[in-house]
């Protein structure tokens, strides 16, 4: 049997409906993978979710892959499942690193994408356009070292432990608190005057 | 009563034009348009609070005792496991999986081995499959027992906590006898297991299977028709089936909402299709249904364990590991005496086992939900990407929706019913 014939049913229909937007279709270890163009990714995912006969109603996972080859595009990976048809389909969206890493958010299709997209944004720096609350989720808010799961991010981080300690000690006190904590203190009129003044001047500072 | 809905400023992090932190709404001043003069109040729970089941932090906006908004903060336990995995051989990743969902380490080990075997195209022996089923179901029972005990405590019932932790201790003793560890089990290897069960071990598990349902029956008597328990849980934190699918929930959270999806039934692995067991499904998707689903799952796991023990007895003496010593270490005595075995041993320890270029996703039914490992390989012995599909992370993401409009005391119950483990959420 050729690799083509083991693709999950429906991939041919996807190709017929979107033509040039479907860049590649492969099978790896029995999983069907379809690579689609970034600009039409949201359209393809919405079509897969809503078209009768496709019904990929369950978003298993969103993640991204940064390859060891620095020339190769970063890929955003959507793991879809049709609960009724019991088939899985993986959609990959390559993002060229020479351009801004942006793709449309699928939060409007699956609410489960909320935290998954935030995680990909946090760890890979991919911006999901249209996400209502795109901010870091696992790393802290003022983390400025970069995006840890990118291959150009060294395992031990960009700064030595001594450098991190030095920066933490030299930072303004308000840099140690998240915006939520600062706003809670502000709401209860407990923010010291010097902190208020520095915040008003935009000098919150960062802890790396 | 007129209420004042405050602007949501979540999407605009940073300062407002006057330089004040603008992320959360400020508390309205006294004498606002609310006729009772009620004020919205911000309450911070956690990250160090026993009822948040780990280092979860919740910021709640309250109006009186009603939750208007709930903002969870996670990441306090972030350890970068996925990044670490990219620098390790496939077998060296197994100890990392112990530490993600640390309430069911053996099931995580099994999932990792299965995902790597799918990537490398390795067949495992029948005895190995049965041993892995036992590991998975033991993990399900201990994880659900922790859930049962701690949720009972959160709702004010202390005794079932002692019962469930006593039973959990019995499984932990068996786990320790098998793997040598209570938490850092590292039980599986790619292509087999770290060890077969020790002699006489099956009798201990059989005795557990025989007596364990008594405890479940006691809990059932204590909780299922208890008016306080029903009052605290029925109709609280409900999720419809369509919402549960839309929020990508999995495991007992999904099934309590009435979606009959269980990975063991719908895409069987480890020969689960040949075991006789039922999948409990809820109706209303509230905390009570989640409790009923998890309680019934423990009975069903017990059934699976009994069947697996029968098969294990039938397969006595059968090989556990795959015969191909290019992927699994030969026995130590052979590595010390046989040239070829020594070469295999040396190459695996020094270079690791290379996976062919490709990628594989494999999900299994973990106690918390669908745990999935996604490997991308470029042909070397270390993965390009190791992704954990964390069930509790994805289940927890619906917490703001579940808590909206609930009472403050219900937030504790709802959070408990999600069954989270922070090691897996933060990874």
């Amino acid at each position: 049997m050729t690799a083509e014939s083991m693709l999950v049913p429906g991939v041919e229909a996807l190709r017929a409906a979107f033509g040039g937007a479907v860049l590649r279709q492969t099978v790896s270890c029995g999983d069907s993978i379809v690579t689609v163009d970034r600009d039409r990714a949201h359209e393809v995912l919405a079509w897969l979710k809503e078209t009768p006969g496709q019904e990929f109603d369950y978003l298993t996972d969103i993640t991204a892959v940064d390859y060891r080859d620095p020339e190769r595009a970063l890929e955003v990976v959507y793991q879809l499942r049709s609960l009724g048809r019991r088939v899985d389909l993986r959609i990959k969206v390559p993002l060229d690193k020479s351009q801004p890493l942006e793709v449309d958010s699928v939060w409007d299709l699956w609410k489960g994408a909320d935290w998954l997209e935030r995680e990909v944004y946090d760890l890979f720096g991919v911006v999901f356009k249209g996400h209502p609350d795109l901010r870091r989720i696992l790393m802290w808010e003022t983390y400025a070292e970069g995006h840890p799961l990118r291959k150009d991010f060294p395992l031990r981080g960009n700064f030595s432990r001594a450098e991190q300690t030095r920066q933490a000690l030299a930072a303004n006190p308000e840099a140690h608190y998240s915006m939520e904590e600062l706003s809670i203190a502000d709401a209860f009129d407990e923010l010291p005057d010097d902190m208020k003044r520095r915040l008003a001047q935009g000098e919150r500072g960062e802890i790396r | 009563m007129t209420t004042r809905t405050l602007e949501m400023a979540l999407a605009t992090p940073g300062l407002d034009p006057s330089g004040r932190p603008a992320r959360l709404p400020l508390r309205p001043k006294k004498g606002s348009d609310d006729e009772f003069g009620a004020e919205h109040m911000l309450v911070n729970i956690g990250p160090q609070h026993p009822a948040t089941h780990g280092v979860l932090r919740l910021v709640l906006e309250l109006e009186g005792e009603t939750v208007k908004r709930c903002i969870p903060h996670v990441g306090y336990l972030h350890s970068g496991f996925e990044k670490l995995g990219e620098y390790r051989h496939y077998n060296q990743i197994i100890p990392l999986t112990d530490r993600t969902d640390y309430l069911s380490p053996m099931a995580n080990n099994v999932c990792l081995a299965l995902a790597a075997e799918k990537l490398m195209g390795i067949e495992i022996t029948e005895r190995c499959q049965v041993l892995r089923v036992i590991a998975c179901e033991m993990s399900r029972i201990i994880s659900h027992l922790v859930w049962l005990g701690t949720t009972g405590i959160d709702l004010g019932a202390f005794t079932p906590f002692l019962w469930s932790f006593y039973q959990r201790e019995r499984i932990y003793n068996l786990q320790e006898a098998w793997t040598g560890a209570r938490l850092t089990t590292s039980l599986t290897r790619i292509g087999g297991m770290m060890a077969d069960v020790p002699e006489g071990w099956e009798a201990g598990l059989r005795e557990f299977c025989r007596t364990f349902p008594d405890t479940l029956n006691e809990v059932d008597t204590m909780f299922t028709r208890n008016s306080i328990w029903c009052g605290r849980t029925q109709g609280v934190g409900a999720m419809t089936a369509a919402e549960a699918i839309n929020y990508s929930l999995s495991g007992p959270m999904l099934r309590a909402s009435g979606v009959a999806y269980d990975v063991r039934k719908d895409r069987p692995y480890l020969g689960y299709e040949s075991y006789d067991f039922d999948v409990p499904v809820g109706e209303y998707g509230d905390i009570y249904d989640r409790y009923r689903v998890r309680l019934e799952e423990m009975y069903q796991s017990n059934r699976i364990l009994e069947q697996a023990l029968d098969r294990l007895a039938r397969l006595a003496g059968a090989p556990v590991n795959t015969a191909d010593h290019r992927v699994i270490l030969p026995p130590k005595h052979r590595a010390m005496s046989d040239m070829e075995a020594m070469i295999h041993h040396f190459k695996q320890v020094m270079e690791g086992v290379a996976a062919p270029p490709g990628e594989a996703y494999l999900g299994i039914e973990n106690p918390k939900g669908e745990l999935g490992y996604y490997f991308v390989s470029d042909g070397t012995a270390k993965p390009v990407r190791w992704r954990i599909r964390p069930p509790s992370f994805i289940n927890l993401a619906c917490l703001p929706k579940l808590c909206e409009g609930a009472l403050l005391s219900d937030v504790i119950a709802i959070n408990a019913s999600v069954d989270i483990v922070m090691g897996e959420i933060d990874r």
Side-chain angles (χ1 to χ4, degrees):
Chain A
M1 215 157 44
T2 63
E4 282 279 323
S5 62
M6 295 197 304
L7 279 165
V8 295
V11 173
E12 282 314 310
L14 180 71
R15 217 187 169 91
F18 288 91
V22 178
L23 304 175
R24 273 190 305 281
Q25 54 192 54
T26 48
V27 174
S28 180
C29 305
D31 299 344
S32 297
I33 306 158
V34 178
T35 310
V36 299
D37 187 50
R38 178 240 307 260
D39 295 330
R40 299 189 73 187
H42 183 276
E43 213 182 319
V44 168
L45 290 164
W47 185 86
L48 284 169
K49 180 179 180 227
E50 274 139 26
T51 307
Q54 299 287 341
E55 290 144 21
F56 286 96
D57 49 355
Y58 188 84
L59 177 72
T60 313
D61 199 11
I62 300 178
T63 185
V65 184
D66 190 10
Y67 289 90
R68 290 194 175 117
D69 175 4
E71 303 290 307
R72 193 163 167 187
L74 190 142
E75 284 173 347
V76 179
V77 181
Y78 299 86
Q79 189 77 38
L80 304 184
R81 170 173 301 151
S82 167
L83 290 181
R85 295 166 59 216
R86 297 184 184 180
V87 289
D88 283 3
L89 182 61
R90 192 175 307 143
I91 302 290
K92 296 175 102 179
V93 180
L95 301 178
D96 195 339
K97 283 187 206 162
S98 61
Q99 292 165 9
L101 298 174
E102 287 180 352
V103 66
D104 286 327
S105 168
V106 294
W107 179 83
D108 52 335
L109 300 173
W110 292 283
K111 294 286 178 283
D114 183 353
W115 282 23
L116 292 168
E117 286 182 346
R118 276 177 67 188
E119 192 189 328
V120 174
Y121 163 72
D122 185 0
L123 302 179
F124 288 92
V126 176
V127 174
F128 290 89
K129 289 183 288 181
H131 189 287
D133 182 25
L134 197 65
R135 58 197 163 97
R136 286 188 182 269
I137 185 163
L138 295 180
M139 308 308 286
W140 58 97
E141 208 174 325
T142 54
Y143 185 76
E145 241 176 284
H147 300 288
L149 279 179
R150 293 261 281 271
K151 285 289 186 285
D152 54 10
F153 187 97
L155 183 61
R156 284 174 179 273
N158 280 314
F159 299 110
S160 67
R161 185 59 63 88
E163 173 66 12
Q164 287 174 4
T165 310
R166 196 192 64 72
Q167 293 194 5
L169 291 175
N172 293 334
E174 58 271 25
H176 292 274
Y177 298 101
S178 72
M179 268 309 180
E180 276 77 16
E181 286 163 319
L182 293 172
S183 70
I184 289 168
D186 191 35
F188 289 87
D189 297 322
E190 282 172 2
L191 212 54
D193 287 338
D194 59 327
M195 271 199 198
K196 269 191 207 162
R197 200 181 58 247
R198 282 196 297 267
L199 284 168
Q201 289 165 354
E203 291 173 11
R204 183 175 171 211
E206 280 169 341
I207 311 254
R208 294 183 163 86
Chain B
M1 176 175 154
T2 57
T3 55
R4 225 167 88 155
T5 310
L6 294 162
E7 284 296 303
M8 280 189 67
L10 269 180
T12 52
L15 304 168
D16 69 8
S18 64
R20 289 159 75 91
R23 180 67 62 75
L24 285 181
L26 302 183
R27 184 174 61 154
K29 296 294 174 204
K30 281 200 184 341
S32 63
D33 52 358
D34 186 330
E35 59 183 287
F36 294 107
E39 297 173 0
H40 281 226
M41 194 175 171
L42 289 169
V43 173
N44 180 69
I45 303 179
Q48 277 105 4
H49 191 287
T52 55
H53 296 233
V55 282
L56 170 67
R57 177 170 167 235
L58 301 173
V59 177
L60 302 171
E61 184 189 337
L62 300 178
E63 187 188 77
E65 225 185 321
T66 314
V67 177
K68 304 303 279 185
R69 187 145 56 109
C70 164
I71 304 168
H73 290 266
V74 300
Y76 294 94
L77 215 57
H78 181 57
S79 327
F81 286 138
E82 293 178 10
K83 183 85 175 173
L84 279 170
E86 294 169 7
Y87 292 80
R88 271 157 179 70
H89 301 153
Y90 287 91
N91 268 323
Q92 290 172 334
I93 297 174
I94 291 172
L96 298 179
T97 65
D98 294 337
R99 292 151 175 84
T100 56
D101 180 354
Y102 44 73
L103 296 179
S104 59
M106 293 197 294
N108 304 344
N109 300 157
V110 170
C111 184
L112 188 114
L114 287 173
E117 282 153 10
K118 179 174 176 183
L119 181 69
M120 299 176 185
I122 298 169
E123 293 277 322
I124 55 170
T125 64
E126 201 182 343
R127 186 170 170 90
C128 180
Q129 287 196 348
V130 176
L131 288 172
R132 286 182 183 183
V133 166
I134 290 176
C136 283
E137 298 309 320
M138 280 169 65
S139 295
R140 195 178 321 281
I141 288 175
I142 52 176
S143 177
H144 282 0
L145 282 174
V146 172
W147 174 82
L148 186 69
T150 52
T151 304
I153 286 217
D154 283 349
L155 295 181
F158 188 72
T159 314
F161 173 80
L162 299 175
W163 294 341
S164 58
F165 270 60
Y166 176 74
Q167 295 299 331
R168 176 172 176 259
E169 198 59 29
R170 294 175 68 197
I171 290 224
Y172 262 94
N173 288 340
L174 290 167
Q175 189 172 309
E176 198 176 358
W178 185 3
T179 69
R182 290 163 59 84
L183 191 150
T184 52
T185 53
S186 301
L187 176 66
T188 59
R189 294 290 180 270
I190 290 151
M193 303 296 271
M194 179 268 289
D196 199 345
V197 290
E199 212 177 307
W201 186 88
E202 295 94 325
L205 185 59
R206 225 177 249 291
E207 177 62 16
F208 174 83
C209 289
R210 191 180 66 76
T211 51
F212 171 58
D214 295 345
T215 300
L216 291 181
N217 294 338
E218 278 181 322
V219 172
D220 190 33
T221 317
M222 189 87 154
F223 278 164
T224 308
R225 280 164 292 280
N226 179 322
S227 64
I228 300 173
W229 181 262
C230 294
R232 288 295 305 273
T233 57
Q234 286 183 349
V236 178
M239 197 83 163
T240 66
E243 284 168 346
I245 293 172
N246 200 249
Y247 275 88
S248 299
L249 301 188
S250 55
M253 286 284 284
L254 181 68
R255 289 191 288 277
S257 294
V259 183
Y261 187 84
D262 186 314
V263 188
R264 291 174 296 175
K265 288 279 186 198
D266 290 82
R267 21 196 59 220
Y269 51 96
L270 292 175
Y272 264 111
E273 67 276 17
S274 59
Y275 290 86
D276 184 19
F277 67 103
D278 299 322
V279 176
V281 175
E283 193 176 348
Y284 302 103
D286 54 6
I287 302 176
Y288 186 75
D289 277 2
R290 287 172 204 142
Y291 151 73
R292 292 292 298 272
V293 165
R294 291 200 177 99
L295 188 69
E296 185 57 36
E297 274 187 12
M298 283 192 271
Y299 283 108
Q300 298 300 331
S301 290
N302 209 48
R303 270 177 79 190
I304 299 174
L305 280 177
E306 281 171 344
Q307 295 168 46
L309 279 172
D310 292 342
R311 293 185 193 194
L312 204 61
R314 211 171 56 237
L315 291 166
V320 175
N321 295 342
T322 172
D324 186 356
H325 285 300
R326 282 171 304 177
V327 296
I328 192 149
L329 288 178
K332 191 71 180 173
H333 68 271
R334 278 193 53 215
M336 303 298 272
S337 58
D338 172 17
M339 186 67 190
E340 197 187 340
M342 197 183 86
I343 292 170
H344 286 317
H345 189 287
F346 179 81
K347 281 182 83 77
Q348 273 179 61
V349 172
M350 300 309 287
E351 294 169 6
V353 185
E359 53 181 73
Y361 171 88
L362 189 121
I364 72 165
E365 187 68 37
N366 239 34
K368 308 276 185 291
E370 179 180 340
L371 173 74
Y373 287 145
Y374 172 55
F375 276 125
V376 179
S377 163
D378 61 355
T380 59
K382 294 173 184 174
V384 172
R385 176 88 171 99
W386 169 46
R387 158 74 177 164
I388 308 168
R389 188 236 186 235
S392 19
F393 179 81
I394 298 171
N395 287 351
L396 185 68
C398 74
L399 191 69
K401 177 178 163 39
L402 294 181
C403 289
E404 217 179 272
L407 297 178
L408 176 59
S409 52
D410 289 341
V411 171
I412 302 299
I414 293 169
N415 182 43
S417 78
V418 177
D419 192 14
I420 53 170
V421 53
M422 294 311 287
E424 182 179 73
I425 290 173
D426 296 341
R427 280 158 290 144

